[in-house]
Amino acid sequence: FAALQLLRGVGSVALQEQRHTYFGPLQIGGQELTVVFDTGSANLVVPSADCESFGCKGRAAHHGFNANASTTGSFVSDDGKQTDNVNARHFSVTYASGKASGITFQDRICVDSQHAGSGVCAAGAKFLLAEWESDDFADFAFDGILGLAPDGRLSAGQGFSLLDELVRQGQLSQRMFALYLSASGDGAGQLTFGGYDEERASQGLTWLEVVAGGGNWEVPLQS
């Protein structure tokens, strides 16, 4: 279902859709999971393979991240250093329809499902490895949530934005993403990182400056 195309620091992922939710593949430490691409949150959250709550185990097709199977990742302490799972930073994330809590992990994360880490990748990107998820998560068709909000109050801190890490490590030419949501029969849509697909635009784009520091995709309007 997914394909990644790379051109001048730009990558795009084909999206699946279910009940107006758009999701696609993500590789973490060589393990593939599906994530919803959420413009209203700022962190990556994936369930641990050891998560036993109904929110984790109640999904029809549940996949969790196995930290013990990763050779490139590590748990992260409160001061940002590598540690074990006992001393890892604990925190929680609340959404409009659900809540997750767990510990901090960092690993190599790739926006690619076809070529095992040969696409757009960030080393040592941080995320919440959920040890508990509320029952709401059992209704979701995807495994995790990848937040695409700008830096601000929604972020858990430096290193938690995959988009920022991809730019900082030179994998993307600019901090930009674009969504194409199909209204026809040519697939659910496409998410492009680092730019936009000009073939998907019927005319020139209008650019608006985002209000800085708020952590949301907010633009000023005048009455």
Side-chain angles (χ1 to χ4, degrees), residues 25-47:
L26 195 71
Q27 282 199 355
I28 307 174
Q31 303 173 45
E32 183 173 303
L33 289 86
T34 57
V35 295
V36 64
F37 299 99
D38 181 20
T39 59
S41 66
N43 309 291
L44 172 60
V45 177
V46 297

Side-chain angles (χ1 to χ4, degrees), residues 145-167:
I145 300 173
L146 175 57
L148 296 173
D151 188 36
R153 59 184 178 82
L154 299 178
S155 173
Q158 185 176 3
F160 282 87
S161 169
L162 178 59
L163 197 58
D164 283 349
E165 287 301 298
L166 290 171
V167 174

Side-chain angles (χ1 to χ4, degrees), residues 37-86:
F37 299 99
D38 181 20
T39 59
S41 66
N43 309 291
L44 172 60
V45 177
V46 297
S48 168
D50 297 326
C51 178
E52 296 292 337
S53 68
F54 180 72
C56 292
K57 297 297 186 183
R59 293 184 180 89
H62 167 71
H63 301 94
F65 178 75
N66 186 347
N68 294 325
S70 174
T71 60
T72 54
S74 64
F75 295 96
V76 182
S77 66
D78 286 330
D79 56 3
K81 298 180 180 179
Q82 294 185 15
T83 187
D84 54 26
N85 63 329
V86 175

